[in-house]
Amino acid sequence: MSGPLANELGPVIGHDAVKREWLGAAGSGRMHHGWLLRGPRGVGKGRLAVQFGAHLLGADPWGKLSVDAESHVGRLIVAGSHPDLRIVRLPVDDKGKQKSEIP
């Protein structure tokens, strides 16, 4: 699996309560309009958010929050070209330093 989002689609370790809540809400048809993922840097919030989005787009046929990268939707997500998934990240300045705000 290669592409801009390939690293975001690996397994998510932990976050079991959040995963259960997400899958329960998605399965009930009563999904919240927004989800706040917070915690220390490096615990997998970004990866989990991408997998939640992939789940909503149908790249997770078994409901286990793991993306089937061989499916049509999974290939689009891995390539960073799915029309309904936009990843917004902090930009980098001309010197290669990450900016602190999204313009």
Side-chain angles (χ1 to χ4, degrees):
M1 185 169 29
S2 66
L5 293 179
N7 290 334
E8 303 291 340
L9 299 179
V12 175
I13 310 290
H15 304 289
D16 294 331
V18 175
K19 291 178 195 176
R20 279 192 304 276
E21 186 175 352
W22 173 270
L23 292 171
S28 75
R30 296 181 49 88
M31 182 64 79
H32 297 289
H33 73 279
W35 290 74
L36 177 63
L37 301 175
R38 53 178 273 218
R41 184 180 192 123
V43 297
K45 299 177 302 289
R47 180 176 286 190
L48 191 61
V50 169
Q51 292 190 2
F52 284 172
H55 176 82
L56 289 176
L57 295 170
D60 175 27
W62 302 283
K64 297 184 185 214
L65 295 178
S66 61
V67 176
D68 179 3
E70 300 305 315
S71 70
H72 176 69
V73 172
R75 285 193 306 270
L76 289 172
I77 290 171
V78 168
S81 61
H82 195 290
D84 295 325
L85 181 66
R86 176 81 55 215
I87 306 296
V88 178
R89 300 190 188 279
L90 290 171
V92 177
D93 66 15
D94 296 338
K95 297 177 183 176
K97 184 179 177 191
Q98 190 174 47
K99 293 184 178 183
S100 61
E101 294 180 1
I102 297 171

